[in-house]
Every structure is written in structure tokens, then in C-alpha cells.
Amino acid sequence: QVQVVQSGAEVKKPGASVTVSCKTSEYTFTSYYIHWVRQAPGQGLQYMGIIDPRGGTTGYAQKFQGRVTMTRDTSTSTVYMDLRGLTSDDTAVYYCVTERPGSGGFDVWGQGTLVTVSS
Amino acid sequence: QSALTQPASVSGSPGQSITISCTGTSSDVGSSRLVSWYQQYPGKAPKLMIYEVNKRPSGVSNRFSGSKSGNTASLTISGLQAEDEADYYCCSYASSRTYVFGTGSKVTVL
């Protein structure tokens, strides 16, 4: 059964870092890719990157390279997204979402995590 | 990687068909079969409607169909219903395992 549950809302100051977690089932962790997508208030979807939990291989959108790191913990079937150097432009709902490898379809979405960046 | 271009809004009357376009480049939409479409209601997570250009996940109405020609993908909603009023986003494989989303289209049922 494919499922993902994200960590709760965060409030951060400019310049800080944030870590959002995405806990999956063991089946999901070993069978699916995990992508991260964000959506600023009133704005569209923005792709951030991918992690293959099986081997930890990652790929980041150019906009976020150097500022984002995606990791995983095999013991808890959890994926993490770290974003550094936060500005107010990073205020958004962050989603983790699964992809059956090779399908290109993002099928099971987390509930979203609101990250607010404010001084 | 620039966002794929979608019309900001598309509207139609109940029962009509509408088509949402999604224009990219030869580096993304034009060269990939991994084009997908998402429906999103306000305050909710997106929902996968189409993947691999024209495949529907289980449970998605067959009123939704996808196609692609050159650098432009399209989502057609036939027999438009009030419940179809939502935002729609396309997405395409871009490069180095990453993807790019469209700018989004708001569908209004008149």
C-alpha cells in the first residue's frame, strides 16, 4: 500500500534552514521514487527534485541546486528535504509525492507541509 | 528550466468539451513520453489525471484524455461538469531525472 505522511508546519527566520520529512511505508520506500514539489500562496506548482530511496540517488531542479539536499533513512522508511538560506520567497506548501519508477506520474501526494519564512 | 506554458484560464458550458494546451520545448515535452496532468482544488493536494501522455490512472473518469503533438501536450475534458472546475497543471520530464511543471490553467464551468 502506497502512503506518505509529512511532518508538521514550520516557521523559520530568513537565512535559516528547514527540514521537512516524508514518512512512507516499507513497500513505498522500496518500490517508488519520491519527488518534492512546492506551491507558494496563490501560485503554481514548482518542481524541486527527486530521490530514489533504494540507493539514495538524487536529482535537483536547477533553481534549487546548491540549496537543497534530499536524503533518506532506510531504518524508518523516511525521506527528508533540507532547504537552506531561506527567504520570504520560500514561504510555501511543500509536498512529497511518489512516482512508480518510469511512469512519470506523481500519484500519491503527502498532505503538504506549510513552511513560513518571516522575520 | 523554464515552466511550461499553459493558458491562464479556460472555460466552457456544462456538457461541452474543452482543451488545455501545454507548450514546452524540444528538450522537454517534445522529446519525452513522460507528460502528465494534475487537477487541483483550492487548499487540496494535486491529483494525477493523466500520465505517459495519454494514460489514465484507475478511477479517473474517461472524460479526461491526453495527447501530444511536437512540443505541445493537451488535456481534453469532454462532457464538462461542474465538478471539473479546478486548476490544472501539466508536467514533463526535463533532464537529469528532474521534471518541470506548467504555469497552470484555471478551468471555469459557466
Side-chain angles (χ1 to χ4, degrees):
Chain A
Q1 187 171 0
V2 182
Q3 56 184 357
V4 292
V5 178
Q6 299 182 222
S7 51
E10 302 265 10
V11 179
K12 296 293 183 180
K13 294 197 180 300
S17 299
V18 68
T19 299
V20 181
S21 67
C22 176
K23 183 166 177 54
T24 75
S25 65
E26 183 175 354
Y27 170 74
T28 304
F29 194 83
T30 57
S31 305
Y32 286 76
Y33 297 152
I34 301 292
H35 299 263
W36 290 89
V37 177
R38 76 177 188 180
Q39 187 169 36
Q43 303 301 309
L45 302 175
Q46 187 171 42
Y47 183 83
M48 299 183 70
I50 178 179
I51 182 167
D52 179 352
R54 296 168 296 184
T57 307
T58 57
Y60 305 133
Q62 192 170 11
K63 175 181 173 64
F64 298 99
Q65 283 182 3
R67 208 160 67 91
V68 70
T69 303
M70 297 174 187
T71 57
R72 93 285 196 218
D73 183 341
T74 58
S75 66
T76 60
S77 299
T78 301
V79 170
Y80 299 91
M81 187 282 297
D82 296 325
L83 188 62
R84 303 176 289 280
L86 294 171
T87 71
S88 57
D89 290 342
D90 294 315
T91 294
V93 174
Y94 289 75
Y95 294 102
C96 64
V97 56
T98 67
E99 177 208 352
R100 179 170 53 82
S103 72
F106 304 157
D107 47 9
V108 178
W109 293 70
Q111 80 274 25
T113 297
L114 175 62
V115 175
T116 302
V117 182
S118 174
S119 56
Chain B
Q1 186 69 50
S2 299
L4 309 176
T5 300
Q6 298 180 230
S9 62
V10 180
S11 61
S13 299
Q16 286 186 330
S17 292
I18 62 169
T19 297
I20 305 168
S21 62
C22 169
T23 301
T25 69
S26 58
S27 297
D28 38 60
V29 175
S31 58
S32 178
R33 65 178 177 81
L34 300 183
V35 177
S36 54
W37 289 89
Y38 301 85
Q39 176 191 65
Q40 187 181 34
Y41 294 113
K44 301 295 186 182
K47 175 186 176 182
L48 177 64
M49 305 301 284
I50 296 288
Y51 68 100
E52 290 184 42
V53 176
N54 56 13
K55 296 181 179 179
R56 274 188 312 275
S58 175
V60 172
S61 170
N62 59 10
R63 298 186 298 105
F64 292 84
S65 61
S67 62
K68 190 185 84 165
S69 178
N71 297 338
T72 299
S74 299
L75 174 72
T76 297
I77 309 175
S78 58
L80 198 63
Q81 300 179 0
E83 67 200 48
D84 300 330
E85 189 161 292
D87 293 325
Y88 292 83
Y89 295 89
C90 62
C91 182
S92 171
Y93 179 80
S95 64
S96 302
R97 310 189 68 182
T98 65
Y99 289 73
V100 60
F101 279 99
T103 50
S105 298
K106 181 176 180 60
V107 168
T108 301
V109 181
L110 301 172

